[in-house]
Amino acid sequence: MTDNPLEQPESSRETWEASAEATERLMRLQVWLKGLLAGGPSLAEAVKPWREGLPIYGRASVTSADDQNEVPEDGPRLAEELLIAACRRIHVRREQAGEPPLDICEEERRTRLTEVLEEIQVGRQAGEELTPMHVVLAARYIEDVINSEEYRSRRQAIRTP
């Protein structure tokens, strides 16, 4: 028997395809879990917009060439909601751990949030997906847990596997 799935009997090819699908699902689950452990959205929060039929990932990839200049209303709003929820979780975890609140003014938070939302929009137009890890990194940057340089280098590391 060969390793080439095209030369294998039909039942073996189906088994190989099922195995490949299971492997991909496992990899996606591991990426989501890493994001969750770092403070990303829960599975219910991540899946809810998908179940409601709202596109979470790659909105720019499904728009036509005529619509690329138009900014979809729900994409930035959804990203902003995810970021605000992640920031809230950072506050709650710090309080539960008995750590003092982070020393960053509200105006700086808003500036960083706007900056991150603009980067997300540019990334979507370039076909980049917004993953839970992106949300966690952005929230940590907005809340001044990590600085701008760390945020940019880690974001770049996520982009290039």
Side-chain angles (χ1 to χ4, degrees):
M1 202 178 262
T2 69
D3 289 334
N4 186 350
L6 298 176
E7 296 176 9
Q8 294 179 354
E10 188 64 33
S11 62
S12 294
R13 188 176 1 194
E14 289 174 2
T15 304
W16 182 83
E17 288 172 357
S19 175
E21 288 175 14
T23 302
E24 182 178 345
R25 279 194 308 271
L26 181 61
M27 288 172 45
R28 289 178 184 263
L29 183 62
Q30 288 173 344
V31 167
W32 169 79
L33 183 58
K34 286 179 185 177
L36 179 66
L37 292 175
S42 70
L43 182 58
E45 291 172 335
V47 171
K48 182 180 176 187
W50 171 76
R51 286 186 176 166
E52 293 174 353
L54 297 174
I56 295 178
Y57 306 119
R59 172 70 183 244
S61 64
V62 296
T63 57
S64 67
D66 297 334
D67 294 338
Q68 285 183 352
N69 293 333
E70 297 178 17
V71 178
E73 293 285 329
D74 57 344
R77 183 179 48 218
L78 180 60
E80 183 175 5
E81 290 172 3
L82 288 172
L83 286 170
I84 290 171
C87 290
R88 215 174 297 126
R89 283 190 297 278
I90 290 173
H91 285 284
V92 169
R93 287 190 178 143
R94 288 185 67 81
E95 287 175 5
Q96 289 175 347
E99 297 175 7
L102 295 166
D103 189 29
I104 182 170
C105 67
E106 193 61 35
E107 184 178 325
E108 180 65 21
R109 271 194 192 108
R110 277 190 239 117
T111 303
R112 289 180 181 201
L113 177 63
T114 303
E115 176 186 340
V116 168
L117 288 173
E118 288 172 358
E119 287 178 0
I120 290 170
Q121 187 61 31
V122 168
R124 282 187 177 181
Q125 290 174 352
E128 183 180 317
E129 293 183 1
L130 178 64
T131 65
M133 200 58 139
H134 285 105
V135 172
V136 170
L137 282 175
R140 294 182 77 201
Y141 168 62
I142 292 168
E143 291 299 316
D144 202 31
V145 175
I146 60 175
N147 62 27
S148 177
E149 185 177 309
E150 272 184 286
Y151 168 66
R152 306 253 182 268
S153 67
R154 289 182 183 182
R155 189 164 193 266
Q156 185 64 31
I158 290 174
R159 266 192 232 154
T160 54

